[in-house]
Amino acid sequence: MELGEIVSVLLQGAVVTIQIVAMALPLAALMAFVFGLIRLYAPAPFKQLAIVYIEFFRGTSALIQLYWIYFVLPFFGVSIDALTAGVLALGLNIGAYGTEVVRGAIQAVPKGQYEASVALNFSASQRLVYIILPQALVNMIPPFGNLSIELVKATSLVSLITIADLTFKAKSLADMTLQVGEIFGVVLVLYFAIAQCLSLFFRYLEKRLSRGLGRGGVN
Amino acid sequence: MSQPIIEFKNVQKKFGDTTIFDGFNFRVEENEIVSIIGPSGSGKSTLLRILMTLEGIDGGYINVGGESLWHMLWNGAYVPASNKHLHKMRDQLGMVFQHFNLFPHMTVKRNITEAPMRVKGLSRQEAEKSAEELLELVGLSDKADSYPNDLSGGQKQRVGIARALAMRPSILLLDEITSALDPELVDEVLDVIRNLAKEQSFTMLLVTHEMYFAREISDRVCFFDNGNIVEEGKPEAIFTDPKETRTKAFLNAYLGQ
């Protein structure tokens, strides 16, 4: 098989991988913020719930979570198509790690900021939205960048539940042609390219958000 | 004596096993300027932080402007204050912090306008006009669009003062506002407070290690040690003729007399 053909088949897989990332990443971010804030500010029973979510999804294998959602849940009457199952498993898994990022970043905002905002009589929600979160967001960006790259790499798991992502295409091409060197070489480059795009995006975000904070991130 | 604007009655405060106040009584009259001096760890800052509602109390009562700060009347009984009550009470109070605590993600102007707009509901125009006047008062009109991290310590603290004043508090709490500054920057901050004290009627409660400043500006100086006022009086009396041994020892150590 010509290299051009290999690349074009693998690119189709890459598009699916990017789609999964594009859907799982917002889900992960949503979970991270919702459960991160619950973990910090909600009444005890909700906090417990958040801890159960975090510890369960961090403490078990992402692949097994994926199998559960795709293969086991149907036995309980919940059938989910492969793509949704993949997005759910990855979003919930990475989101659990993100929860701790959100919590850590908020707690890292100096206490004096909270005190000044109390002294100026901001309400609790105003303190969070206008004073604490804008500063915490900057702290979150680098670890979020890390997690998003983790997510890109974890998407290869969805090839095991029949989704024709980059890894799936690569394996089937390799089985067919045995040109493993070329195929897995191209796959490496493509995963790397996707990860680089995210990396650049987060660096840009960090620079924009840290205006005035006197810590401009890496250039 | 008229009704005091601040009154501590039998206040108890503990941090874990450490007792800060054990039956503390204290009062400040309206428009009085009171300096609190004393060794570190004696509870001076805690006193201000309790007033600013940054720390709760374990017993006793505090009145601010004739109303209980940490308690409210509910069905004829005093119960712990709700957030709403605290919000109302904080309206009278402003605080300037030792470490400035400016909001680093906002320009100087927004540091000053943010709370008046969001908390008091001032229009942008009103808030900015007031911010301009305050920046002029503290001599920083040219820094309105700078970020706090681009300012010197003295400039930061002057913004801190302007930010507190923008909320129009009737009581200003100053917590060691020059302690984190290089010596050559202290005066520019103290000058602002001097002018405030001269030109406006304010109740000011300051915790300070600037003895000469305390002497110059205060109506009353309180020497504070171990959670209690050991000695208080007119500045001249405290500084030139202290009665208590502990006051003498402290002033000797501080002023090298």
Side-chain angles (χ1 to χ4, degrees):
Chain A
M1 217 177 183
E2 296 272 325
L3 186 63
E5 276 177 273
I6 290 175
V7 170
S8 94
V9 172
L10 290 178
L11 274 177
Q12 292 167 16
V15 169
V16 174
T17 293
I18 291 170
Q19 279 172 344
I20 292 170
V21 170
M23 288 186 284
L25 202 56
L27 175 64
L30 181 75
M31 296 304 284
F33 272 97
V34 169
F35 281 92
L37 292 176
I38 287 176
R39 183 93 162 72
L40 281 174
Y41 301 114
F46 296 99
K47 266 184 198 167
Q48 299 300 328
L49 189 78
I51 292 171
V52 168
Y53 159 65
I54 297 163
E55 294 307 333
F56 178 77
F57 276 92
R58 287 197 313 181
T60 57
S61 143
L63 181 61
I64 303 303
Q65 291 160 15
L66 188 65
Y67 282 172
W68 258 86
I69 292 174
Y70 188 61
F71 293 124
V72 182
L73 284 188
F75 287 107
F76 296 94
V78 186
S79 277
I80 298 173
D81 66 278
L83 187 68
T84 312
V87 169
L88 262 179
L90 294 171
L92 291 176
N93 182 274
I94 298 291
Y97 289 93
T99 301
E100 294 295 90
V101 169
V102 169
R103 182 171 73 99
I106 288 176
Q107 287 179 325
V109 174
K111 202 161 172 275
Q113 293 292 308
Y114 162 81
E115 293 181 350
S117 59
V118 170
L120 289 166
N121 219 354
F122 287 107
S123 70
S125 57
Q126 286 176 328
R127 276 175 230 151
L128 184 66
V129 173
Y130 301 118
I131 309 298
I132 306 299
L133 272 184
Q135 298 180 61
L137 270 177
V138 184
N139 298 337
M140 292 177 204
I141 300 300
F144 269 163
N146 269 342
L147 285 180
S148 72
I149 291 170
E150 283 298 320
L151 173 64
V152 170
K153 294 184 293 186
T155 54
S156 63
L157 295 176
V158 300
S159 65
L160 298 167
I161 57 163
T162 73
I163 296 177
D165 76 324
L166 184 49
T167 300
F168 184 92
K169 289 275 188 195
K171 275 195 298 189
S172 42
L173 262 191
D175 288 345
M176 256 167 27
T177 65
L178 299 177
Q179 290 167 284
V180 284
E182 291 102 314
I183 292 167
F184 288 116
V186 174
V187 168
L188 271 189
V189 172
L190 286 176
Y191 272 118
F192 183 75
I194 298 171
Q196 271 302 297
C197 289
L198 277 172
S199 193
L200 287 173
F201 169 72
F202 276 95
R203 234 177 266 177
Y204 163 79
L205 215 59
E206 189 184 359
K207 250 179 121 172
R208 281 232 24 199
L209 286 175
S210 54
R211 221 174 352 168
L213 289 179
R215 43 192 158 129
V218 267
N219 284 303
Chain B
M1 236 193 280
S2 63
Q3 165 126 306
I5 192 162
I6 298 170
E7 189 174 19
F8 282 61
K9 284 190 283 193
N10 196 26
V11 169
Q12 314 277 332
K13 174 69 184 170
K14 279 183 197 160
F15 288 117
D17 289 338
T18 314
T19 301
I20 306 289
F21 296 131
D22 187 11
F24 178 62
N25 295 294
F26 180 58
R27 51 193 283 159
V28 177
E29 307 302 320
E30 196 165 358
N31 295 338
E32 195 182 16
I33 298 178
V34 179
S35 290
I36 299 167
I37 59 171
S40 306
S42 58
K44 304 180 307 265
S45 287
T46 305
L47 195 159
L48 297 191
R49 293 169 57 78
I50 287 174
L51 277 171
M52 197 61 257
T53 72
L54 297 173
E55 301 281 356
I57 53 175
D58 300 313
Y61 286 90
I62 296 171
N63 285 329
V64 174
E67 222 179 322
S68 178
L69 179 67
W70 280 107
H71 300 83
M72 55 184 191
L73 220 52
W74 194 72
N75 283 348
Y78 275 104
V79 297
S82 65
N83 281 333
K84 201 177 148 200
H85 178 79
L86 290 177
H87 186 79
K88 189 184 84 186
M89 295 302 290
R90 279 197 286 259
D91 198 41
Q92 307 166 68
L93 295 150
M95 185 158 179
V96 183
F97 297 89
Q98 180 178 5
H99 296 289
F100 329 125
N101 299 354
L102 298 181
F103 305 131
H105 58 300
M106 296 180 186
T107 62
V108 164
K109 194 204 279 170
R110 263 196 71 201
N111 262 279
I112 302 172
T113 57
E114 191 77 357
M117 284 168 63
R118 300 217 189 266
V119 179
K120 294 212 154 180
L122 260 62
S123 72
R124 178 173 298 277
Q125 271 177 324
E126 291 170 306
E128 290 193 348
K129 188 167 168 281
S130 149
E132 278 162 29
E133 288 165 8
L134 287 166
L135 281 174
E136 201 180 322
L137 181 81
V138 301
L140 289 173
S141 296
D142 56 329
K143 297 290 183 193
D145 297 317
S146 304
Y147 281 92
N149 282 332
D150 299 327
L151 305 179
S152 73
Q155 291 171 332
K156 280 183 195 170
Q157 195 56 294
R158 285 186 277 155
V159 174
I161 295 167
R163 184 176 70 171
L165 292 177
M167 292 298 276
R168 309 271 170 230
S170 47
I171 302 166
L172 193 59
L173 309 171
L174 307 172
D175 187 13
E176 301 198 30
I177 60 168
T178 56
S179 298
L181 298 179
D182 291 335
E184 73 270 21
L185 300 177
V186 167
D187 266 331
E188 65 183 56
V189 172
L190 295 186
D191 277 341
V192 170
I193 302 297
R194 276 188 192 100
N195 287 335
L196 270 184
K198 245 183 286 173
E199 288 166 17
Q200 313 200 13
S201 48
F202 256 122
T203 305
M204 258 196 250
L205 194 51
L206 41 134
V207 167
T208 185
H209 291 293
E210 301 288 335
M211 297 304 153
Y212 292 101
F213 180 68
R215 179 175 183 165
E216 169 199 335
I217 195 176
S218 312
D219 299 315
R220 175 159 57 110
V221 174
C222 302
F223 174 68
F224 208 79
D225 196 12
N226 279 330
N228 253 312
I229 294 170
V230 175
E231 187 169 359
E232 62 178 325
K234 294 267 174 217
E236 305 80 57
I238 297 287
F239 284 106
T240 53
D241 188 22
K243 299 281 182 280
E244 300 288 331
T245 356
R246 271 192 285 172
T247 319
K248 283 180 194 163
F250 175 78
L251 288 174
N252 276 340
Y254 238 90
L255 301 171
Q257 287 162 346

